[in-house]
Structures are given as structure tokens and as C-alpha cells.
Amino acid sequence: MRVGIPMTLSFFTFYPLWKPFFEGLGAEVVVSPISNKALLDEGVKETVNDACVPIKLLHGHVSALKDKVDILFLPRLVSLDGKNTLCPKFLGLPDMVRYSISELPEIIENRLDMKKSRFELYRFMFRVGQRFTDNKLQILRAIWQARYNFSRYRKLLLHGLTPAEAFPLLESGEEPDKAAETGDAIKLAVLGYPYALYDNYVSVGLLKKLKEHGVNVVTPEMVSEKDLKKMSKTLPKNLFWYYSNRVVWAAQHYLRDQTVDGMIHVTAFGCGPDAMTNRLIELEAKENSQIPLMSITIDEHTGEAGVATRVEAFVDLLKRKKGIL
Ligand code: SF4
């Protein structure tokens, strides 16, 4: 059985959990191609106009997968931490895709809501596993293997690796090199949803560009759960949405930490939650620190050259401030 997983949205959070899980169930995992203009154009054609860019792109990824797989994995992600919910577009994802794209294969759209219990993730995986085999032992073994791989992945991200750097190490079993931070380089916190930051096409190569400029980059995925939780208590009120909260808490963490020279917030055009997320980060940066902040809004027309010029100017300004330039 070939299971299709779109390389967007929760992919950058969960792929190292899902891949060994499905393989342990005897399935072949097929991932959609790396995002590109053709995929986004196809997604724009299939989606309602007011959807955000990541949702449009998801439709492109699904279109690219639909004829290559027997079953599509598009779970209904409701809560991933037992407290916050995901944005409404995640909640309605399987329905939105089903009504927009024709001739889809079967969809695994089981609901994952960690508000139900601490063990809901394993119950969810067990339910999904039963669609592939009646052998309970095989499902449990696949869950155990997936958990192991996933906790290694989380450690690699906390070590400062991006998903693109962590995935090959998970496959090869190698350990990461010692952190290559250089003392006199500037350090930037780049904030945003994982599906915006780590998708090279959506972010118009932002992380790569910063590294080429010799910048040390840190992201929300490099902040521990313990530190994020600590930051969640510093605001009078948190937002409703899982990924937005993590971006705000990570911003709080880096603002208080005072080890970063600047922050870039990558926001997605058409994202309702981002209007608030961006405002909150702006207010916190203005009121509680001297750390410069730049926002970049990404949409389907964002040009690489425009972003590159702004990023270069921002990096030069920070280098000058630090006396490097
Ligand atoms: S949080 Fe924003 S960018 Fe992400 S899916 Fe929801 S509306 Fe789109």
C-alpha cells in the first residue's frame, strides 16, 4: 500500500514520526515533490481565493500525489498539546481538500485531539494502524519505532538543526557535528510557522540566504518545550492557535534571552492568526527590548529579489550596529 504525505503544513513537525510508523505497518511512504511554482499554481487553481498561501500550496501537493498513491494521509489535527487548537483551516483540511480536488484516493482523516487524554497520540496511531493490519503487535512495534525516531528528531532540532539538516541524519543514524556558531557573527531569530520557514520555496530561500551571509540562525523549533511553557505564562493571555502561540512564545524567549541581535518574523499572506501574532511580537519587541525586528509577508507573488534586498539591508544594519561592518 502506498501512503501519500504532502510535504507541507505539519510535515516539518511530524514526518519523522509518520514515516517509520507507516513503514513499520508494511506501507510504502510517498512524499510529494519539494514545493515549486508549478505546485503552487496548481494549488491556487484548486483552492478558494481567500485561503492563505500554505493552504493553497497544500492543494498543489495533494494534486501532485493523488495519482501516485493508494491512500492519502491528511489527519484532522485538532490539538497537539492538549491545550491549544490548530487554526480552523487545519481542522477542516480533509473536507476542504475533498470538496476542492476531484478523483482523490481514500483519505486517512482520523482526528488527533490531545485534549482528550495524554495518550491520545498513541490511540490515534493505533486507530490508523488498524486500517493496515489486524496484527496488534505489529502496530505497537511500529508506534514504538516511530516514537524513538521522533524523539531523536526533536533532539536534533533543539541542537540547532533545521529539518532539512536533521532528516538525513535520522536516515543515516549519524550524530550532528558540533554547533558551528561563530562568536563574532550576528545571530538572528527567524520566527514563523515551520511550513513557512523550512519550505525553501515559500520562504524564498530565507534561511539559506542568511547562512550565506554568515548569520547564525535560531528558530522556534530550537526552543525547548520547558522554555516555551515558561514564556506562555508571561503574557496576560495566549492566542487560541497552536503554531501561532509557539511563534509568540519563541519570540518572547529570544527577546528575554538577549542573545540575538535581531528578529525576522515571516508571516503568510491571508493568514488570520498572523495578523495578531505579528502585532503581539511587534509590541513585545518595542516595549521590552532594543532588539530590531523585521517582518516579511510571503504570498504567491513574493519575489526572491525583493526579499533578498530587504534581508541584506537588515543584516548590514545589524552588523554595523555590532561593529562587524
Ligand atoms: S495558521 Fe495561518 S498560515 Fe497556517 S494554515 Fe492557518 S491561516 Fe494558514
Side-chain angles (χ1 to χ4, degrees):
M1 172 105 73
R2 292 162 306 165
V3 183
I5 303 185
M7 199 194 286
T8 182
L9 297 186
S10 60
F11 176 89
F12 300 97
T13 311
F14 282 129
Y15 181 63
L17 183 72
W18 306 140
K19 183 175 186 271
F21 174 59
F22 286 119
E23 287 179 348
L25 296 171
E28 180 194 343
V29 174
V30 181
V31 177
S32 53
I34 291 172
S35 300
N36 56 44
K37 187 172 181 329
L39 279 189
L40 182 56
D41 287 348
E42 181 62 28
V44 169
K45 241 180 11 198
E46 303 285 3
T47 335
V48 287
N49 279 345
D50 56 356
C52 59
V53 177
I55 292 293
K56 287 178 181 165
L57 188 61
L58 170 92
H59 283 69
H61 279 272
V62 170
S63 295
L65 274 175
K66 68 172 191 172
D67 298 325
K68 298 194 181 102
V69 299
D70 305 301
I71 196 159
L72 257 176
F73 186 56
L74 274 184
R76 195 180 300 276
L77 302 179
V78 179
S79 174
L80 300 178
D81 60 0
K83 290 189 178 76
N84 305 287
T85 40
L86 281 102
C87 99
K89 283 164 185 156
F90 272 89
L91 270 54
L93 207 58
D95 309 311
M96 210 190 314
V97 168
R98 186 175 296 108
Y99 291 111
S100 306
I101 304 177
S102 55
E103 293 171 27
L104 285 174
E106 192 188 334
I107 299 180
I108 300 175
E109 57 170 277
N110 293 53
R111 184 184 169 101
L112 174 58
D113 182 0
M114 301 281 283
K115 282 185 182 168
K116 286 189 176 166
S117 92
R118 257 177 347 114
F119 303 107
E120 194 52 27
L121 176 62
Y122 307 117
R123 290 205 185 120
F124 164 86
M125 291 170 88
F126 200 82
R127 286 194 297 271
V128 172
Q130 282 176 313
R131 298 174 79 139
F132 291 79
T133 173
D134 294 331
N135 185 337
K136 293 193 171 111
L137 207 64
Q138 187 185 0
I139 303 176
L140 292 174
R141 220 181 288 128
I143 295 177
W144 188 85
Q145 187 57 38
R147 270 185 63 180
Y148 173 76
N149 201 53
F150 188 54
S151 88
R152 232 193 121 224
Y153 176 59
R154 294 285 310 130
K155 282 187 194 142
L156 289 173
L157 298 187
L158 288 175
H159 191 83
L161 272 72
T162 62
E165 290 161 344
F167 290 159
L169 295 183
L170 288 176
E171 291 292 326
S172 68
E174 284 171 45
E175 288 303 319
D177 292 337
K178 283 231 170 304
E181 262 194 28
T182 47
D184 61 344
I186 61 162
K187 186 170 168 185
L188 269 184
V190 183
L191 307 163
Y193 305 131
Y195 42 93
L197 295 191
Y198 304 124
D199 186 312
N200 224 21
Y201 181 74
V202 177
S203 74
V204 282
L206 179 64
L207 297 187
K208 215 167 123 230
K209 241 169 243 139
L210 288 170
K211 287 189 179 172
E212 282 165 11
H213 282 294
V215 173
N216 292 322
V217 171
V218 284
T219 66
E221 281 63 40
M222 296 169 195
V223 185
S224 70
E225 292 301 317
K226 196 171 140 224
D227 286 337
L228 289 178
K229 199 170 166 200
K230 221 190 310 169
M231 291 304 115
S232 72
K233 296 186 178 134
T234 61
L235 289 165
K237 204 168 188 311
N238 286 303
L239 299 171
F240 299 115
W241 310 287
Y242 175 79
Y243 281 120
S244 305
N245 270 329
R246 293 175 81 82
V247 170
V248 174
W249 299 337
Q252 285 277 82
H253 170 79
Y254 289 124
L255 287 172
R256 290 179 176 224
D257 186 39
Q258 296 283 322
T259 59
V260 293
D261 300 293
M263 291 204 309
I264 297 181
H265 183 208
V266 180
T267 73
F269 183 75
C271 170
D274 257 354
M276 267 179 263
T277 310
N278 192 246
R279 192 76 192 116
L280 270 175
I281 295 176
E282 259 178 28
L283 286 173
E284 286 296 322
K286 222 177 259 169
E287 283 170 16
N288 299 323
S289 86
Q290 299 294 316
I291 295 174
L293 167 75
M294 179 173 83
S295 303
I296 296 177
T297 303
I298 306 291
D299 70 9
E300 59 260 48
H301 309 295
T302 304
E304 198 162 327
V307 171
T309 314
R310 288 188 60 204
V311 167
E312 249 167 63
F314 189 60
V315 168
D316 282 355
L317 181 121
L318 297 178
K319 282 185 176 168
R320 249 183 227 130
K321 197 171 166 228
K322 211 176 174 183
I324 303 174
L325 210 68

